[in-house]
Amino acid sequence: MPTLFILFGYRFFFWSNDHEPIHVHISKGDAECKFNVLDVELVENHGYKKNELRLIESLIEENREIIIERWKEFFNKDNK
């Protein structure tokens, strides 16, 4: 499971067998969530509070191009 980056203790990563649409998993402690990236949208949440999800969403929006680029590199896809 490739880690993209760690920001404010949140680890942003893909599973090595992940599927489209482009999305990212985020974990910190026992909490984990999943966001779609192209249209930033929460898909799953297990343990995060609303204020944490807002921070995570803003971090995804700020780093969206990096996440998409790393997805394409890792999965060898040319998604748009």
Side-chain angles (χ1 to χ4, degrees):
M1 87 180 100
T3 296
L4 302 170
F5 43 79
I6 298 173
L7 297 169
F8 303 104
Y10 298 102
R11 183 170 65 95
F12 293 74
F13 65 96
F14 303 135
W15 290 104
S16 60
N17 62 345
D18 253 335
H19 53 83
E20 293 187 14
I22 297 174
H23 63 276
V24 65
H25 298 266
I26 302 92
S27 69
K28 182 176 182 181
D30 291 334
E32 185 173 328
C33 65
K34 174 179 158 183
F35 274 86
N36 285 337
V37 175
L38 295 177
D39 295 317
V40 179
E41 176 183 29
L42 178 65
V43 177
E44 295 177 10
N45 176 32
H46 304 284
Y48 286 114
K49 297 177 181 173
K50 286 184 181 185
N51 64 329
E52 292 175 300
L53 291 170
R54 282 192 296 273
L55 172 60
I56 291 167
E57 183 174 354
S58 70
L59 293 171
I60 292 169
E61 288 173 353
E62 290 173 13
N63 294 283
R64 183 162 56 201
E65 290 84 20
I66 294 168
I67 296 168
I68 292 168
E69 181 179 316
R70 295 285 305 274
W71 177 282
K72 289 178 181 180
E73 288 172 4
F74 186 80
F75 295 104
N76 197 24
K77 303 237 181 194
D78 187 25
N79 297 319
K80 295 184 179 178

